[in-house]
C-alpha cells in the first residue's frame, strides 16, 4: 500500500536516521485556506463557504474511503459515518440481501471469521513467490522458448525484491543503532522528555554521542523530543521492521485469515463487517480530511459539509490485492457511493484486468474515483504505479482523478518532495504536506503524502456533488481540472531519494495535466455556470 510518507532516510556516520520531511510548523487546516487571504496555498474552501455556499441547501452524498480502516467511533467522524439503514445492526443477518451481513458502516474485504489481516506482503513478493515455484528448476540454459519472456520478468522481479530486502535490513540496523544510542544519551540526561537546552548542556563522552547531540539540537529547534521520537525514530523502526518481517518476506502469507480463494477473482462474498480493523490510522486520517464534522466545534473540519463516509477496508499494511480492490470498488458503487477515495497504489499488479473492469463499472454507474499518485518522487508516465489510466477507455478516465501532493508555499518547493508526478497520468495537485487530521482513539496527527492530497480532492468532489447533484462524475472531474489555480513558475525536486542527488527545476505544468492546484472556490463558481446541466438547490 502506497501510504503516507513518514520520513526520509539520511546516512549520518554509522547510522541511518529519520528526518522530518518538513520541519517547519504549518497552520492548522491550511489545506482549506486561501493563497491571497492567508498567504498559504490551500484550496480556498473556507472562502467558498463564506461567499458562495452560505444559505444554500445541499443533498447528502456518500463518499467511500477504500483504505485500511476507519475509526467509526472517532469523536470527529461518528456523526458523518454512513449508516446502512436497510441493515439491522448485530442480528447476524443479511437484511438488505446485498450479500454482506451486518454491513452497517461498510465492509472489510481483508477480514475473516475470527480476525482481520493487518500486515501483508508486497505484490512484488507475491509475484516472486508464485514464479519461484513455476521456475524452480529453470536456468538461462534450459528455459523453454515460450517461457523466456516470463523468465526474464521473474529474474528482474527477484533482483528487485532482493535489493529492497537488503535495503530494509540495512535501514533497520541503522535506525535501531541510532535509537539505542539516543536512548543512552537520554538516560544520561535523566529526563523523559528532554529539551534543546538539555541536549545543549549535555557533555558527550564519544563521537557517537556528539553526533546524537548535533542531530537533536537540529531537530528540537522546530519541535518537541516526544514528537520526534515517536513520529520519526519509532515510526522508522516500525517501518523497516514491517518491510523486513512482512512486506518483503517470501515465507509470510496471512491470507488464510480471510478464508477465501485468493486466486478466484470472481469471488465477491467474503470478509467481515469490521470497517476499523487492526490499524485504522491511515483511513481515519483520510476520512477526516474529506469530511470531519464541521459543526461540533472540536478537532478539525473536513472539506465537505454534507457527506457520509462509507468505510471499505481493502488495503493492509503492505500491498493491496487486486481482487480486494475490485470488490471494494464494486461494493461502494452498489451501496450508493458517488465518490470513492483510493489513497493507495503499488509498483506491480497481479491482475490489472479485474481492477480495470471495476473502474469501468464505477464509470458506468456515474461514480467518480479519486486516487493518490504515489510517494516515490517518480514520473508515473514512465514508471508503473497501479491502478493507472493506461489501456482504459476515455469514459472511464473521464470519471477518475489522479492527485499529486503540494506544499503550502507558492515557490519552488510547491511540489511535495515525495510526490509522484506525470504530465499525462496525474490530473491535479492538492495539499499533502503536514495535514492535520483524525486518527484512532479520537486523536489527531499531522501526516504527509499523496494519500492526504487525494482526500482533499475527494472532499471537493463530494462538496460539488452535494450542492450540484445533477452534475455527472465526468462533469465534476472536468470542473475540478479546469478550475485549478495555475502555477506559472518552476518547481524543484531531487531526481532520486539519494540526499546527494542533484536538484532539477521544471515548469509546474510539466508535472500534471492541469498545471495547477485544485481550488474549491473557483470549482464551485464554475459548477454554478453549468446552469443548463445542474443548479444548486
Amino acid at each position: 500500500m502506497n501510504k503516507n510518507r513518514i520520513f526520509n532516510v539520511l546516512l549520518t556516520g554509522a547510522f541511518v536516521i529519520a528526518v522530518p520531511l518538513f520541519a517547519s510548523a504549518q497552520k492548522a487546516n491550511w489545506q482549506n485556506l486561501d493563497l491571497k487571504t492567508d498567504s498559504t496555498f490551500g484550496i480556498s474552501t473556507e472562502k467558498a463557504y463564506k461567499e458562495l455556499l452560505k444559505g444554500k441547501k445541499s443533498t447528502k452524498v456518500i463518499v467511500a474511503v477504500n483504505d485500511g480502516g476507519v475509526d467509526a467511533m472517532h469523536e470527529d467522524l461518528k456523526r458523518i459515518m454512513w449508516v446502512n439503514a436497510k441493515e439491522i445492526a448485530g442480528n447476524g443477518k443479511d437484511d438488505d440481501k446485498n450479500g454482506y451481513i451486518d454491513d452497517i458502516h461498510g465492509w472489510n474485504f481483508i477480514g475473516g471469521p475470527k480476525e482481520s489481516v493487518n500486515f501483508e506482503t508486497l505484490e512484488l513478493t507475491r509475484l516472486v513467490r508464485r514464479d519461484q515455484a513455476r521456475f524452480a528448476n529453470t536456468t538461462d540454459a534450459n528455459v523453454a522458448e515460450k517461457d523466456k519472456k516470463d523468465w526474464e520478468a521473474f529474474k528482474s522481479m527477484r533482483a528487485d525484491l532482493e535489493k529492497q530486502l537488503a535495503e530494509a535490513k540495512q535501514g533497520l540496523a541503522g535506525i535501531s543503532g541510532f535509537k539505542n544510542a539516543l536512548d543512552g544519551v537520554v538516560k544520561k540526561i535523566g529526563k523523559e522528555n528532554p529539551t534543546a537546552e538539555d541536549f545543549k548542556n549535555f557533555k558527550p563522552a564519544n563521537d557517537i554521542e556528539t553526533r546524537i547531540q548535533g542531530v537533536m539540537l537540529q531537530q528540537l529547534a522546530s519541535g518537541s523530543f516526544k514528537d520526534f521520537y515517536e513520529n520519526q525514530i519509532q515510526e522508522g523502526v516500525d517501518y523497516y521492521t514491517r518491510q523486513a518481517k512482512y512486506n518483503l518476506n517470501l515465507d509470510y502469507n496471512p491470507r488464510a485469515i480471510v478464508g477465501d480463494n485468493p486466486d478466484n477473482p470472481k469471488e465477491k462474498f467474503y470478509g467481515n463487517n469490521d470497517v476499523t480493523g487492526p490499524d485504522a490510522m491511515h483511513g481515519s486520517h483520510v476520512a477526516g480530511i474529506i469530511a470531519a464534522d464541521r459543526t461540533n466545534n472540536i478537532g478539525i473540519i473536513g472539506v465537505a459539509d454534507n457527506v457520509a463516509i462509507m468505510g471499505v477496508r481493502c488495503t493492509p499494511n503492505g500491498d493491496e490485492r487486486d481482487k480486494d480492490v475490485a470488490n471494494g470498488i464494486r461494493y461502494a458503487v452498489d451501496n450508493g457511493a458517488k465518490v470513492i477515495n483510493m489513497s493507495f497504489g503499488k509498483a506491480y499488479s497481479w491482475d490489472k484486468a479485474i481492477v480495470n473492469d471495476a473502474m469501468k463499472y464505477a464509470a458506468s454507474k456515474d461514480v467518480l474515483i479519486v486516487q493518490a499518485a504515489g510517494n516515490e518522487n517518480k514520473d508515473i508516465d514512465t514508471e508503473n504505479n497501479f491502478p493507472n489510466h493506461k489501456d482504459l477507455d476515455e469514459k472511464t478516465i473521464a470519471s477518475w482523478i489522479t492527485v499529486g501532493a503540494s506544499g503550502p508555499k507558492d515557490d519552488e518547493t510547491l511540489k511535495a518532495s515525495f510526490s509522484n508526478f506525470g504530465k499525462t497520468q496525474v490530473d491535479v495537485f492538492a495539499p499533502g504536506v503536514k495535514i492535520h487530521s483524525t486518527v484512532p482513539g479520537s486523536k489527531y496527527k499531522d501526516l504527509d503524502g499523496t494519500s492526504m492530497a487525494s482526500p482533499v480532492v475527494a472532499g471537493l468532489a463530494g462538496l460539488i456533488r452535494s450542492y450540484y447533484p445533477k452534475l455527472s462524475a465526468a462533469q465534476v472531474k472536468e470542473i475540478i481540472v479546469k478550475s485549478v489555480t495555475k502555477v506559472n513558475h518552476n518547481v524543484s525536486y531531487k531526481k532520486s531519494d539519494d540526499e546527494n542527488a542533484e536538484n532539477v527545476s521544471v515548469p509546474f505544468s510539466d508535472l500534471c495535466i492541469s498545471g495547477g492546484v485544485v481550488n474549491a472556490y473557483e470549482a464551485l463558481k464554475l459548477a454554478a455556470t453549468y446552469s443548463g446541466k445542474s443548479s444548486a438547490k
Side-chain angles (χ1 to χ4, degrees), residues 315-330:
T315 59
N317 278 307
D319 277 348
E320 58 281 354
R321 292 176 183 253
D322 292 331
K323 174 184 176 179
D324 301 331
V325 171
N327 282 328
I329 292 170
R330 290 178 180 275

Side-chain angles (χ1 to χ4, degrees), residues 482-510:
K482 282 186 175 180
S483 62
V484 297
T485 301
K486 295 283 187 179
V487 178
N488 299 313
H489 59 75
N490 279 21
V491 292
S492 62
Y493 61 92
K494 289 189 178 294
K495 290 186 74 173
S496 74
D497 282 340
D498 186 347
E499 285 294 313
N500 297 316
E502 64 175 312
N503 278 323
V504 294
S505 181
V506 300
F508 192 87
S509 57
D510 284 355

